[in-house]
Amino acid sequence: MNNVIFDALAEAARKGEAVTLGIISGVKGSSPQKIGAKALFYADGRIKGTMGGGCLEAEIQQRAIQSLRTGKASTFDLLLDHDFGWDDGLICGGRVFGLILPNAQKTEEAFWKQLGARQNTNSWGVTKEFVIGSVSDAASASWIYQETVTPRCALWIAGAGHIAQAVAPLAAQLDFSVSIFDDRPALVNHEFFPAETNLHSEIWEKLLAMPLPETPAFGLIVTRGHRHDALVLKDWIHKPFLFLGMIGSSRKARTIFAHFREEGIATEEELKRVVCPVGIKIRSQSVPEIAVSIMAQFIDKRAELVHERRVAPTSKFELVGASLT
């Protein structure tokens, strides 16, 4: 995740440790990584992040280490053809463009910390003179790379049982900001959930009154029973979730949806937005397998509903911008 790179850059800035930042700024055709992929290259050979692995990363690392010696930034344009990638099997057939920026730690620690925290939407980039900075601070600059860093998508999970406990750490690793809601205080604590998880334990009437955050939000209903699932769905179906999933069978969905229609609780359009059973079909049986199937679907929906809404600007690198959520 990019915030790991930003945090590592902030740490390098704090220590004054020399490091080269590599960025993929454009691609044509097939490539092992996409625009915005980053890696840090240290003088002792360590690499944090990835530019795609194999011979591609080895070539970039060689250039990155050389740049630490010379202090000179550069661009690269690599064709991933038979001649280049045969030894490592990296014959993607595409072209990868990028930047090599030595001594990226000289950019202020606070700059990288702000990007890594992702509390707000921030746009930053690299100018044609290879200067790293905020786009808002130098809007008239000629940028060869721009990137918009946004807060993480929110994932609200109703229920704190076994499935929620398996989904939450996986979702956090997959760059969601996770919040757990349940009326059972014994389960809503960090003994069962990662430290970064937002925990809310109250009676359901108070929990359901909470407003969604301003960031794109996804919902998952996995309470301890059909009655509680229906109670949460009755409220959440009216909230502007980008995607709302509920655990259960198709029969359960038909039963709850029929009741909602009869009572006028939700419209047909609102019911169509609810996916039940949630998760992709991978014949999952165990709780960890169910968690994987659920998060696979949420990743797919996030890419469809969030990432693809943003269009990067163009430049001599074909595509020089990235929008990271």
Side-chain angles (χ1 to χ4, degrees), residues 261-319:
R261 291 187 187 98
E262 291 170 5
E263 299 297 322
I265 293 171
T267 66
E268 286 299 327
E269 285 302 313
E270 288 173 326
L271 291 171
K272 288 178 182 177
R273 292 178 51 242
V274 181
V275 175
C276 180
V278 67
I280 64 171
K281 295 181 179 180
I282 57 171
R283 302 184 185 183
S284 54
Q285 294 183 332
S286 67
V287 169
E289 289 173 342
I290 293 170
V292 168
S293 75
I294 290 171
M295 287 314 304
Q297 189 171 42
F298 275 67
I299 291 169
D300 180 60
K301 290 300 179 181
R302 181 175 61 181
E304 175 188 344
L305 300 171
V306 180
H307 292 174
E308 292 181 4
R309 291 181 175 185
R310 301 188 173 98
V311 180
T314 59
S315 81
K316 70 175 184 176
F317 291 114
E318 189 66 21
L319 287 172

Side-chain angles (χ1 to χ4, degrees), residues 156 181 200 205-212 235-236 239:
W156 280 21
F181 302 83
H200 305 277
E205 286 74 11
K206 290 186 178 181
L207 293 175
L208 296 176
M210 294 182 65
L212 284 179
D235 180 87
W236 280 17
K239 292 187 186 294

Side-chain angles (χ1 to χ4, degrees), residues 1-257:
M1 296 300 176
N2 283 276
N3 55 295
V4 173
I5 296 295
F6 296 142
D7 291 344
L9 281 163
E11 180 71 5
R14 186 183 67 81
K15 293 180 177 178
E17 182 178 16
V19 63
T20 293
L21 171 62
I23 306 174
I24 291 181
S25 59
V27 297
K28 282 185 176 180
S30 300
S31 69
Q33 273 287 11
K34 303 304 179 184
I35 296 170
K38 302 176 187 66
L40 297 185
F41 300 92
Y42 297 80
D44 60 6
R46 286 178 294 138
I47 302 175
K48 182 161 290 188
T50 180
M51 305 286 280
C55 52
L56 172 62
E57 192 155 282
E59 175 67 24
I60 297 171
Q61 182 182 25
Q62 182 180 359
R63 299 185 187 203
I65 297 300
Q66 179 64 22
S67 75
L68 280 179
R69 300 190 186 102
T70 64
K72 293 182 179 180
S74 62
T75 64
F76 60 82
D77 176 352
L78 299 173
L79 177 62
L80 307 181
D81 61 4
H82 184 279
D83 292 332
F84 181 83
W86 176 256
D87 289 341
D88 289 321
L90 197 67
I91 312 171
C92 300
R95 291 176 68 180
V96 176
F97 309 90
L99 308 174
I100 294 175
L101 307 169
N103 297 312
Q105 80 284 351
K106 291 185 178 180
T107 301
E108 291 184 1
E109 177 185 359
F111 177 84
W112 296 121
K113 275 190 171 181
Q114 183 181 37
L115 292 178
R118 294 172 63 188
Q119 296 300 311
N120 302 292
T121 298
N122 292 288
S123 294
W124 72 285
V126 183
T127 70
K128 65 180 181 180
E129 292 81 19
F130 298 112
V131 176
I132 297 171
S134 171
V135 172
S136 60
D137 293 339
S140 61
S142 179
W143 303 95
I144 56 174
Y145 178 77
Q146 290 185 47
E147 178 176 293
T148 298
V149 180
T150 66
R152 297 170 182 83
C153 289
L155 173 57
W156 280 21
I157 303 177
H162 295 307
I163 293 177
Q165 291 170 26
V167 167
L170 182 56
Q173 292 179 60
L174 295 169
D175 210 32
F176 285 89
S177 177
V178 182
S179 296
I180 301 294
F181 302 83
D182 203 300
D183 61 348
R184 297 170 290 177
L187 291 180
V188 186
N189 63 69
H190 291 298
E191 178 183 352
F192 301 107
F193 295 98
E196 65 270 25
T197 308
N198 304 304
L199 303 179
H200 305 277
S201 181
E202 257 292 356
I203 61 174
W204 280 110
E205 286 74 11
K206 290 186 178 181
L207 293 175
L208 296 176
M210 294 182 65
L212 284 179
E214 294 182 1
T215 56
F218 295 73
L220 174 64
I221 301 175
V222 285
T223 72
R224 59 185 178 273
H226 291 4
R227 185 173 67 85
H228 287 87
D229 285 346
L231 173 67
V232 174
L233 182 62
K234 183 178 179 180
D235 180 87
W236 280 17
I237 200 170
H238 302 296
K239 292 187 186 294
F241 288 105
L242 291 186
F243 180 74
L244 180 57
M246 183 171 66
I247 200 74
S249 63
S250 298
R251 181 184 177 187
K252 170 184 174 178
R254 289 193 300 270
T255 302
I256 293 177
F257 290 2

